[in-house]
Amino acid sequence: LMDNGNVSIIDLQKMRRKFNLNWQNGWYLKRIPLDENNTARIPTHVTFHAPSKTYLVASTEISSDFTLPQDEYAPISDNQSASPYSGPVSKLFGAISNALHLINPISWTCVDSISESILPYEGVTCIRCLELETRQTASGFSPFLTVGTAYQKGEDRPIRGRSFVFDVAEVVPEPGKPETNRKLRLKGITEFKGPVMAFTPLLQGNVAISVGAKVIVNTFEEDEKFAGVAFSDVGTCTLALASIKSL
């Protein structure tokens, strides 16, 4: 059933042959590698960027041994005599590696990936396309891809979070690969004193962000970072936000 009220009938057999789909568990599927090495990355979040007609996908992978980070807090000892385990702490757990991938839905290939900006102990918690203030357009607003994260360095460390704002820029494609004409461009990173769990757009380009037990109303300043203008202490960790009415 289409938006205009018409009924569209699709021949699944023709779709299967045209797009090289596989029939599994009652669904037609097409597997898309998220990197050139075809590693076992697990997709966790996805959102659509309408102006560029691309998808942003967050993925995670359990990689090498976990290493306790060095920071301003007292270090945790790997002393085996103080632990009931037979091996050092850093050998008991795997490190989680997160990355962001830009997917072209025409060729269903990954045209850009970002992993360097995400810390080894930082996980993506939410992704959303938001209409934010900018100086790049005549209207003063433009849709940007916003990514929320939370990073935890250990059970005795406070959980922090960050927000990333990306624009999908049009670039010169690689020879023979017209689908590579889009790249992720990082606009800015904002640090928060808690995990960033959800976004929702408000009027006039403002954004409500769930940060731990608080919901903070932010503006996007100078095409770079979020700045808080109001907040509400809700007392619980909010995992989803929705704007019903803004005055």
Side-chain angles (χ1 to χ4, degrees), residues 174-188:
E174 299 177 10
K177 297 182 179 179
E179 69 275 6
T180 59
N181 65 336
R182 299 288 182 176
K183 294 290 183 182
L184 288 171
R185 182 174 62 186
L186 180 62
K187 300 288 291 182

Side-chain angles (χ1 to χ4, degrees), residues 73 122 149-152 158-162 191-196:
Y73 297 95
E122 184 175 23
T149 68
Y151 56 91
Q152 185 178 11
I159 300 178
R160 303 299 189 204
R162 299 193 295 175
E191 298 270 353
F192 290 94
K193 296 181 178 179
V196 178

Side-chain angles (χ1 to χ4, degrees), residues 33-74:
L34 294 177
D35 57 16
E36 296 179 353
N37 299 325
N38 200 20
T39 56
R41 304 199 66 91
I42 303 172
T44 57
H45 300 81
V46 62
T47 193
F48 182 66
H49 187 252
S52 63
K53 295 181 175 59
T54 55
Y55 289 93
L56 182 65
V57 178
S59 70
T60 184
E61 176 193 12
I62 299 178
S63 56
S64 58
D65 296 326
F66 176 74
T67 302
L68 294 172
Q70 300 294 327
D71 52 24
E72 67 273 15
Y73 297 95

Side-chain angles (χ1 to χ4, degrees), residues 35-160:
D35 57 16
E36 296 179 353
N37 299 325
N38 200 20
T39 56
R41 304 199 66 91
I42 303 172
T44 57
H45 300 81
V46 62
T47 193
F48 182 66
H49 187 252
S52 63
K53 295 181 175 59
T54 55
Y55 289 93
L56 182 65
V57 178
S59 70
T60 184
E61 176 193 12
I62 299 178
S63 56
S64 58
D65 296 326
F66 176 74
T67 302
L68 294 172
Q70 300 294 327
D71 52 24
E72 67 273 15
Y73 297 95
I76 301 175
S77 174
D78 276 354
N79 186 6
Q80 298 185 29
S81 62
S83 173
Y85 302 103
S86 58
V89 175
S90 60
K91 297 296 182 180
L92 295 176
F93 309 99
I96 296 178
S97 171
N98 288 270
L100 299 171
H101 313 273
L102 192 66
I103 303 296
N104 185 306
I106 298 177
S107 60
W108 290 114
T109 56
C110 179
V111 296
D112 193 17
S113 293
I114 290 181
S115 59
E116 297 82 5
S117 301
I118 304 177
L119 302 175
Y121 39 81
E122 184 175 23
V124 176
T125 54
C126 55
I127 295 180
R128 190 157 183 180
C129 185
L130 298 175
E131 195 87 7
L132 302 177
E133 286 188 273
T134 181
R135 301 173 183 173
Q136 299 177 355
T137 61
S139 64
F141 299 94
S142 181
F144 293 102
L145 293 167
T146 55
V147 179
T149 68
Y151 56 91
Q152 185 178 11
K153 300 180 181 180
E155 61 182 9
D156 63 339
R157 306 291 204 270
I159 300 178
R160 303 299 189 204

